[in-house]
């Protein structure tokens, strides 16, 4: 697949490395061309650093791997408002939360994923990869983790599900993009517990498997 990555941070590097290993063709773009070039060289596998507009043109999927504060600027640089992402699966792993607290900073009832969809007319936004630290995707293979995703377009959900599997995850489609706010609230819950010194895993009950 031809994948564009908008962003040059740890998540871009972690997922990018996994997708390079899976044999995908990647390009990366960021606010700094120098950082994009550095990441491309670090990933290897023929990864190229390109301008944001080129990173979203003719791609089978695009990862928006920037901090939530930089989302609007990055999408503007990529021409999202002009429709350049129309028809493209756009993966949103952002967590718009107050640092160290986990409280969402979006408006009441608003999901960051839905805001991204409004900023990117025609794009098929899929919420994914927002619950695990970037290091999850660079570790040696172990027990597979479940990656909850949601979106409105079945084909885009299939594409992202495949990309989840390529980095060792198990995709779990929870429904339409209307559930993105719920997923983002879960991320805030996890972040709040972690910064408070509690293990989030200890706060989630293990549901016994159904007995047939």
């Amino acid at each position: 697949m031809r994948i564009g990555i908008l962003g040059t941070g740890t998540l871009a590097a972690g997922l990018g490395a996994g997708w390079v290993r899976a044999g995908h063709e990647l390009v990366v773009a960021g606010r700094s061309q120098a950082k994009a070039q550095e990441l491309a060289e670090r990933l290897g596998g023929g990864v190229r650093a390109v301008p944001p507009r080129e990173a979203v043109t003719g791609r089978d999927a695009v990862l928006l791997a920037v901090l939530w504060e930089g989302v609007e600027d990055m999408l503007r640089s990529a021409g999202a408002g002009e429709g350049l992402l129309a028809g493209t699966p756009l993966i949103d792993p952002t967590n718009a939360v107050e640092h160290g607290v986990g409280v969402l900073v979006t408006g009441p009832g608003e999901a960051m994923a839905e805001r991204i969809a409004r900023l990117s007319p025609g794009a098929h936004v899929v919420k994914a990869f927002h619950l695990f630290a970037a290091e999850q995707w660079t570790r040696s293979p172990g027990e597979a983790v479940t990656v909850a995703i949601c979106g409105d377009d079945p084909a885009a959900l299939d594409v992202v599900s495949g990309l989840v599997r390529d980095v060792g995850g198990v995709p779990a489609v929870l429904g339409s993009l209307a559930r993105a706010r719920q997923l983002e609230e879960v991320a805030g819950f996890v972040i709040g517990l972690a910064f408070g010194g509690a293990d989030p895993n200890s706060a989630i009950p293990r549901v016994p498997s159904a007995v047939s």
Side-chain angles (χ1 to χ4, degrees):
M1 292 181 62
R2 297 163 300 173
I3 302 171
I5 296 180
L6 297 173
T8 57
T10 55
L11 185 61
L15 289 174
W19 291 334
V20 167
R21 286 194 300 270
H24 298 301
E25 176 188 311
L26 269 63
V27 294
V28 297
R31 289 181 298 175
S32 164
Q33 181 67 16
K35 288 184 178 179
Q37 184 62 43
E38 179 186 349
L39 176 58
E41 292 173 359
R42 192 172 1 135
L43 292 173
V47 177
R48 296 182 295 116
V50 299
R53 294 174 75 94
E54 185 176 343
V56 306
T57 302
R59 307 300 160 193
D60 299 306
V62 171
L63 172 70
L64 181 61
V66 298
L67 295 176
W68 70 269
E69 299 97 328
V71 161
E72 191 167 349
D73 285 344
M74 179 56 76
L75 289 176
R76 186 183 300 111
S77 297
E82 304 165 36
L84 289 191
L85 279 154
T88 304
L90 176 58
I91 304 168
D92 165 34
T94 59
N95 286 315
V97 298
E98 185 178 345
H99 181 72
V101 178
V103 176
L104 269 63
V105 297
T106 48
E110 180 189 28
M112 191 64 190
E114 292 172 319
R115 183 185 297 182
I116 288 168
R118 289 195 298 273
L119 293 168
S120 311
H124 300 311
V125 177
V126 176
K127 192 77 187 185
F129 295 114
H130 71 300
L131 272 177
F132 294 96
E135 291 75 18
Q136 172 65 43
W137 314 116
T138 58
R139 295 172 184 165
S140 299
E143 183 179 355
V145 296
T146 298
V147 177
I149 67 177
C150 67
D152 292 334
D153 184 77
L157 289 168
D158 285 345
V159 167
V160 177
S161 293
L163 293 176
V164 169
R165 296 187 189 96
D166 285 340
V167 292
V170 178
V173 179
L174 294 189
S176 71
L177 204 63
R179 295 198 69 175
R181 171 80 183 195
Q182 184 181 38
L183 289 183
E184 293 171 8
E185 289 279 14
V186 171
F189 164 75
V190 168
I191 290 168
L193 283 177
F195 271 92
D199 177 6
N201 291 308
S202 68
I204 301 173
R206 289 189 174 274
V207 181
S209 301
V211 178
S212 57

